[in-house]
Amino acid sequence: MTLPKKSNVTQDSISFTNMHKVMLDKFLLKILPKNTNRLYQAINYSVLNGGKRLRAMLIYATGTALGANLDFLHLAAASVELVHAYSLIHDDLPAMDNDDIRRGKPSCHKKFDDATAILAGDALQTLAFSVLLKNNTIKLPNNMQINMLNTLADAIGIHGMVYGQALDLAAETSVIDIQELTKIHQYKTGALIKACILLGMHAANITPQHAYWDRLSAFGEKIGLVFQIVDDILEATTDSQTLGKNSESDLKNNKTTFVALLGINNAKATANKLIQEAFTLTQPLGEEFKHLRYIADYFINRNF
Ligand code: IPE
Ligand code: IPE
Ligand code: MG
Ligand code: MG
């Protein structure tokens, strides 16, 4: 059987993402503490355990399209993936979603213990900021550094991811509607994804006054929401082994999801509509944004 030929554009983007994933992993290895104690082992285990690195890819694709320095992109990509790894460790803890499997392996607190998992998450969060603050060989220009730090802090704290996680947990014991669920998804998952687009722009010295700023920010918001809607859909339609995490987690925790509120077909239709709106936003942008479009396409077509 011959596989259908991938278009040149797709092939190019596959090479782009593969190449950047390898570079990122090398970069992360340099930043991570060496395996000498339980805390460091838990950190390494949770960062180097097979994440898809989609947030990093958004940063590379946005920044590259806008002519950013690759080293600056490595710093932003590494810091976001460290934050993301921390968020997953804490999300899986017994006090939160209580999930035993992450990325196809025992979740951090199962492999180690609850206290080590909490501390590993804490340490990863501060490490993410240190990565942007100091590096032996790469020095971010001052303005860019401050912009990146602000964007990351805003996206993950009391007005971003952590707030969303609090709303998500509170909703386990209350009845919420689609507006409230949309808000939860935007905060808990969308905020960090949107931040990746902003970080890619910062790395290229693009400011809010630039013609592309609002367009790309809106694109980031749309695909951020799509990502979590698709996550809800995948959890309802795909087995745990394929997902690399517990496909019964939402049910077990009485989570309200897009699938629970709208049904599979309408949840898919909502995600499709949002992704079309996101693509429309990129229409005036040139060929150099093809990798960003490819990654957005992957957001909706992924199967784990
Ligand atoms: C999982 O994100 C957590 C959500 C926000 C839904 P990913 O599916 O990007 O996780 P990894 O990094 O590939 O494991
Ligand atoms: C994860 O959301 C969001 C964050 C970690 C911030 P979920 O709890 O819905 O994601 P999974 O299914 O555990 O990956
Ligand atoms: Mg959760
Ligand atoms: Mg979870």
Side-chain angles (χ1 to χ4, degrees), residues 6 10 12 27 52 57 71 84-86 92 127 177 204 206 210 226-229 239 243 275 278 290 294:
K6 297 223 176 344
T10 309
D12 245 29
F27 196 84
K52 296 185 286 293
M57 293 310 126
D71 280 341
H84 174 55
Y86 128 65
D92 290 336
L127 184 60
D177 61 16
I206 300 291
H210 191 281
V226 166
F227 190 82
Q228 187 62 48
I229 299 175
D239 59 279
L243 291 179
I275 208 79
K290 65 182 176 187
Y294 166 78

Side-chain angles (χ1 to χ4, degrees), residues 233-250:
I233 296 169
L234 285 173
E235 196 165 315
T237 55
T238 311
D239 59 279
S240 301
Q241 202 183 346
T242 309
L243 291 179
K245 56 188 184 183
N246 182 5
S247 65
E248 311 266 288
S249 178
D250 289 340

Side-chain angles (χ1 to χ4, degrees), residues 39-271:
L39 174 69
Y40 293 0
Q41 281 172 12
I43 289 172
N44 277 270
Y45 178 79
S46 304
V47 176
L48 304 171
N49 60 353
K52 296 185 286 293
R53 309 287 192 226
L54 291 172
R55 292 157 190 77
M57 293 310 126
L58 288 175
I59 295 173
Y60 287 122
T62 306
T64 303
L66 295 164
N69 175 313
L70 181 59
D71 280 341
F72 299 167
L73 296 175
H74 285 325
L75 292 179
S79 74
V80 163
E81 287 295 334
L82 295 178
V83 164
H84 174 55
Y86 128 65
S87 79
L88 298 179
I89 297 174
H90 282 193
D91 184 71
D92 290 336
L93 284 167
M96 294 191 69
D97 291 352
N98 193 18
D99 279 322
D100 294 353
I101 306 284
R102 174 63 64 182
R103 295 172 170 170
K105 302 186 182 75
S107 30
C108 187
H109 67 276
K110 277 282 159 190
K111 177 81 180 170
F112 297 89
D113 54 79
D114 292 4
T116 304
I118 291 168
L119 294 171
D122 292 341
L124 279 167
Q125 182 171 193
T126 53
L127 184 60
F129 284 94
S130 297
V131 166
L132 294 176
L133 282 163
K134 50 178 191 277
N135 183 275
N136 288 341
T137 48
I138 309 165
K139 173 87 188 84
L140 290 171
N142 283 354
N143 270 355
M144 186 185 292
Q145 185 181 48
I146 289 168
N147 288 336
M148 285 186 175
L149 290 165
N150 271 324
T151 291
L152 188 63
D154 286 347
I156 68 176
I158 53 171
H159 304 301
M161 184 179 80
V162 170
Y163 178 51
Q165 289 286 64
L167 295 176
D168 174 277
L169 293 171
E172 288 178 6
T173 49
S174 60
V175 177
I176 56 165
D177 61 16
I178 198 76
Q179 276 78 26
E180 285 163 295
L181 181 61
T182 300
K183 178 176 163 188
I184 292 173
H185 281 15
Q186 281 168 329
Y187 280 103
K188 79 169 184 179
T189 300
L192 185 59
I193 289 178
K194 179 186 172 189
C196 295
I197 305 291
L198 304 187
L199 289 166
M201 288 200 275
H202 289 320
N205 271 318
I206 300 291
T207 62
Q209 289 72 43
H210 191 281
Y212 287 177
W213 181 272
D214 287 347
R215 183 172 289 282
L216 285 170
S217 304
F219 171 84
E221 255 163 50
K222 299 219 183 264
I223 64 166
L225 180 54
V226 166
F227 190 82
Q228 187 62 48
I229 299 175
V230 170
D231 205 74
D232 288 355
I233 296 169
L234 285 173
E235 196 165 315
T237 55
T238 311
D239 59 279
S240 301
Q241 202 183 346
T242 309
L243 291 179
K245 56 188 184 183
N246 182 5
S247 65
E248 311 266 288
S249 178
D250 289 340
L251 272 179
K252 168 191 81 181
N253 288 317
N254 193 33
K255 302 275 190 199
T256 305
T257 66
F258 266 71
V259 175
L261 287 185
L262 300 180
I264 298 272
N265 288 343
N266 284 334
K268 282 186 180 168
T270 306

